[in-house]
Amino acid sequence: VGLMMNVPHKNLDTILKVLPALQKPTVSPLATEGWAAVDTIIDESEVRDIIPRLKEAGANGIVEYPLNKIID
């Protein structure tokens, strides 16, 4: 599944340590200074455990979305 979320810069390193990914998560700046959007792909079986950890680490606006294909 895909996960995307908003993360304050001060929490970014912690969030990146929590997230598994096929490669590395994509981190993009948001229009609001001091914030980033983080987008990653993880195994669906891990989502239940990871989302509470992401919230504790400061992520918000977390969106989980299904994937049709991953072509590597």
Side-chain angles (χ1 to χ4, degrees):
V1 297
L3 279 182
M4 56 185 174
M5 66 209 73
N6 298 328
V7 178
H9 285 169
K10 66 181 181 180
N11 300 88
L12 191 55
D13 287 338
T14 304
I15 294 291
L16 294 177
K17 289 176 186 171
V18 171
L19 286 174
L22 288 177
Q23 297 293 322
K24 295 287 183 188
T26 300
V27 178
S28 306
L30 290 179
T32 303
E33 190 172 325
W35 285 80
V38 177
D39 195 0
T40 193
I41 306 301
I42 65 170
D43 190 284
E44 187 174 14
S45 65
E46 299 178 73
V47 171
R48 261 195 179 162
D49 295 326
I50 287 178
I51 288 179
R53 292 173 54 205
L54 292 170
K55 290 181 75 170
E56 287 174 17
N60 66 35
I62 300 169
V63 177
E64 175 187 347
Y65 56 93
L67 300 173
N68 291 330
K69 296 180 189 177
I70 296 177
I71 302 169
D72 194 13

